[in-house]
Amino acid sequence: MMMFTDIRKKKLILENRRPYGMDKENHIKELNFLDLVYCNLRLSGSEISKEGICRICLGEVDPFGTIEDHMKIRRYIYIFENFFGRFNVHQDIDERLMSRLYSAITDSDAIYRRDDAPVRHFQYRPLNFREIPIAMKMVPRWETLALNELQNAVKLHNIIIKIYPFSKHTEELARNCLLYYMVSKGYPVFDFELQVGEYNELIAKWLADEDDDELYRKLEVALILKLQLLLGVTS
């Protein structure tokens, strides 16, 4: 908890420095967008670099990026502008918002899975598919006042994965909901600073024993690194 006290202090310093000026605001926006895209693509198994993401955003073709990388980055431009802008993060995280976000991530309708196939990379058999609609309607009740913002965000992320509402891209939805929640509380988008294998191991651990402390600690470090970077940008 001591580290999160430091996180709140850094957040307050950043808030007190506003307005930053147009150049700094634009730079921070670019950093946040890059973190959103790079974190999600990397943890979905992509090997594209940050430089490759920047090239694609400029309308160029990255020779090391797949067709899916190019398509996904285009979708994230829309997601960042329509979900993570300062005026777009005030809607409560409910079934409707999660469906909209999933559709934006996948460019497809948000149709819940219709089977109980195990999630092999977690060695996990998810909730019965017939229970998904009720479980997703219950998600908005996850927030607990006794927890700090990041603890609540990790709890939200894990609940979505436990339900596993979609056959594909559920983890990506969970990550984006975590970040959306943090942005709604005044924090910046941040890269989880995890590799896909480590991320999957942490999720599998939580699914096995519901111990999310290690994932929380990793994300706490990642968030403080981002805040330190922004303090340097705005100094």
Side-chain angles (χ1 to χ4, degrees):
M1 290 299 294
M2 288 297 294
M3 185 179 290
F4 204 81
T5 300
D6 192 32
I7 285 171
R8 284 178 170 155
K9 288 178 181 177
K10 286 177 167 52
K11 173 176 172 280
L12 182 61
I13 293 170
L14 284 169
E15 289 170 350
N16 289 337
R17 287 180 178 178
R18 289 187 181 275
Y20 303 137
M22 187 61 70
D23 288 346
K24 289 181 179 178
E25 287 280 6
N26 287 337
H27 185 39
I28 291 170
K29 184 177 179 180
E30 290 170 0
L31 292 172
N32 287 338
F33 173 75
L34 191 57
D35 276 347
L36 180 71
V37 180
Y38 185 59
C39 177
N40 274 295
L41 266 63
R42 185 182 69 255
L43 294 181
S44 294
S46 172
E47 296 182 357
I48 195 167
S49 66
K50 287 186 177 181
E51 292 75 18
I53 293 169
C54 292
R55 279 194 290 271
I56 293 169
C57 289
L58 293 172
E60 301 173 11
V61 174
D62 181 68
F64 303 104
T66 65
I67 293 173
E68 175 62 22
D69 289 335
H70 284 73
M71 294 171 62
K72 184 62 73 71
I73 290 165
R74 292 298 174 192
R75 290 200 288 274
Y76 266 102
I77 292 172
Y78 172 85
I79 290 167
F80 185 74
E81 291 176 350
N82 289 275
F83 289 89
F84 288 91
R86 190 180 299 176
F87 304 107
N88 303 113
V89 289
H90 300 296
Q91 182 181 339
D92 291 338
I93 297 175
D94 56 16
E95 187 180 21
R96 181 172 176 273
L97 176 69
M98 289 186 285
S99 293
R100 286 178 51 229
L101 186 51
Y102 182 84
S103 293
I105 290 168
T106 63
D107 195 27
S108 64
D109 293 335
I111 299 173
Y112 295 145
R113 61 180 166 82
R114 296 171 178 168
D115 61 55
D116 293 329
V119 185
R120 297 190 183 281
H121 50 287
F122 299 142
Q123 298 183 332
Y124 172 64
R125 185 173 292 278
L127 186 75
N128 183 280
F129 74 93
R130 294 181 181 86
E131 299 177 35
I132 292 172
I134 294 174
M136 291 297 280
K137 286 181 173 60
M138 297 290 287
V139 169
R141 301 183 185 182
W142 98 93
E143 197 170 8
T144 304
L145 294 178
L147 302 178
N148 68 42
E149 297 95 308
L150 184 58
Q151 287 172 321
N152 269 314
V154 170
K155 183 179 177 183
L156 170 64
H157 170 275
N158 290 345
I159 287 171
I160 293 169
I161 290 179
K162 186 174 184 179
I163 297 169
Y164 218 82
F166 303 102
S167 298
K168 296 180 179 180
H169 306 290
T170 286
E171 298 92 331
E172 194 169 354
L173 172 65
R175 292 192 297 271
N176 277 283
C177 286
L178 183 158
L179 291 170
Y180 179 96
Y181 176 78
M182 291 302 290
V183 172
S184 76
K185 298 300 181 182
Y187 294 91
V189 174
F190 61 97
D191 187 346
F192 287 14
E193 303 291 346
L194 297 169
Q195 296 303 314
V196 64
E198 184 181 13
Y199 174 71
N200 287 343
E201 286 175 8
L202 291 169
I203 292 173
K205 176 178 172 56
W206 184 83
L207 290 169
D209 58 20
E210 297 203 359
D211 179 5
D212 63 8
D213 186 65
E214 190 172 354
L215 176 59
Y216 170 79
R217 296 298 172 194
K218 297 281 187 181
L219 297 189
E220 200 176 40
V221 171
L223 177 55
I224 203 164
L225 287 173
K226 179 60 177 287
L227 290 169
Q228 288 171 342
L229 173 63
L230 295 184
L231 286 171
V233 170
T234 60
S235 64

